[in-house]
Amino acid sequence: MAEGNTKGIAKAVVIKKPESHTALVRRARRINRELAEAYPYAHPELDFENPFQLVVATVLSAQTTDLRVNQTTPALFAKYPTPEDLAAANPEEVEEILRPTGFFRAKTKSVIGLSKALAEEFGGEVPGRLEDLVKLPGVGRKTAFVVLGNAFGRPGITVDTHFQRLVRRWQWTEQTEPDKIETAVGGLFPKSDWTMLSHHVIFHGRRVCHARKPACGACPIAPLCPAYGEGETDPEKAKKLLKYEKGGFPGQRLNPPQSYLDAGGRPAPPLGTG
């Protein structure tokens, strides 16, 4: 892996315009390879044991952190372990459990609604097709691709706020609408790469390439980044901006994969303990 970023001598990559599609594909894939080396343990950062838990957790993750969702769902799934259970729940009781996630009334309506749809239309099982998933209350394309990629092993690109920010910084696309970003970036990679690409990019956005203060001086792809220099370039100062396991702090999952723990990551604390 290139070492320029660790010595503070990396410079922004100047992209010659117009960049050919072939050159863009090569550059994008190289960045993904470097990210794969930096985050070999990348994974979905929502705790789940089955597709139902994942679709509910993903709906709840809107406008809050995965950490707060992970701290909240144990109580929810302990009380309502199946779609049938949640479909028949008292909304006020669900609201009280979901209160820490914010927008809890709307989220309660969505998760009870999608549970009813699963129970009544899909035999209590989460469907494994995009066209079925997006019909569920509260489920859009982003949520559907999270579920398809991580619960069913079907490739999809998750265009969240981190993904949108980074692919534009890297000049992979100038699109601003999620569906157009999905199409543009998807065309740069084999379909089989889409799910892990999403994890790599989102992991990097959460840990290093922040919205306001990107840690450019501690970035593993600094020599490949046309936006290098937008953030802190001094290596020692940049290290202080790193988050989660890169900064020596707990992650977002209470029950992370073993590969994450092996890489030095620490589980997040339960709700009310930190």
Side-chain angles (χ1 to χ4, degrees):
M1 185 180 299
E3 295 293 328
N5 58 293
T6 62
K7 299 177 182 178
I9 59 174
K11 296 181 179 179
V13 175
V14 177
I15 306 301
K16 294 181 180 180
K17 295 291 185 179
E19 183 179 26
S20 71
H21 182 72
T22 299
L24 173 58
V25 168
R26 288 174 177 169
R27 184 166 64 85
R29 293 185 183 185
R30 184 178 175 191
I31 287 175
N32 187 42
R33 288 195 298 272
E34 295 285 350
L35 292 178
E37 288 189 22
Y39 310 104
Y41 47 81
H43 59 272
E45 294 192 87
L46 289 167
D47 284 322
F48 69 99
E49 296 179 355
N50 53 56
F52 172 62
Q53 291 188 0
L54 180 57
V55 70
V56 169
T58 307
V59 168
L60 296 179
S61 69
Q63 297 177 290
T64 190
T65 63
D66 286 357
L67 169 59
R68 186 46 56 94
V69 174
N70 291 335
Q71 292 174 324
T72 304
T73 50
L76 180 71
F77 296 137
K79 191 167 185 177
Y80 311 107
T82 70
E84 291 82 0
D85 294 323
L86 191 50
N90 181 328
E92 292 183 357
E93 294 180 1
V94 176
E95 286 179 1
E96 196 56 38
I97 294 174
L98 299 186
R99 185 179 294 271
T101 69
F103 302 95
F104 58 91
R105 291 189 178 89
K107 290 180 180 180
T108 293
K109 184 177 180 180
S110 290
V111 298
I112 289 179
L114 74 85
S115 295
K116 287 181 178 177
L118 292 175
E120 295 171 3
E121 301 174 29
F122 298 99
E125 299 291 333
V126 176
R129 299 195 310 164
L130 175 65
E131 54 266 40
D132 292 329
L133 284 168
V134 295
K135 294 177 183 177
L136 300 174
V139 177
R141 289 180 68 87
K142 184 185 79 170
T143 296
F145 281 131
V146 170
V147 175
L148 289 172
N150 299 292
F152 294 99
R154 296 176 183 172
I157 292 178
T158 303
V159 184
D160 74 348
T161 56
H162 302 287
F163 194 95
Q164 293 181 48
R165 179 176 73 252
L166 268 60
V167 299
R168 288 201 296 269
R169 275 181 176 167
W170 298 334
Q171 298 180 22
W172 287 5
T173 180
E174 295 180 353
Q175 299 293 342
T176 57
E177 297 177 21
D179 58 338
K180 293 182 178 179
I181 292 173
E182 177 192 321
T183 299
V185 175
L188 304 177
F189 295 88
K191 197 171 183 179
S192 58
D193 287 354
W194 288 356
T195 299
M196 286 309 301
L197 168 70
S198 299
H199 290 326
H200 296 153
V201 175
I202 293 169
F203 250 61
H204 190 60
R206 286 175 168 168
R207 286 151 178 79
V208 179
C209 196
H210 313 307
R212 295 184 180 178
K213 290 186 178 181
C216 294
C219 178
I221 62 164
L224 302 172
C225 181
Y228 176 82
E230 287 188 9
E232 179 59 64
T233 58
D234 179 84
E236 292 305 315
K237 292 180 180 179
K239 286 180 182 178
K240 296 178 181 179
L241 300 174
L242 299 178
K243 296 182 179 179
Y244 305 116
E245 80 286 352
K246 291 295 184 182
F249 305 110
Q252 300 200 82
R253 291 186 67 163
L254 278 66
N255 297 296
Q258 187 60 45
S259 59
Y260 179 76
L261 300 175
D262 291 343
R266 304 209 311 267
L271 191 65
T273 62

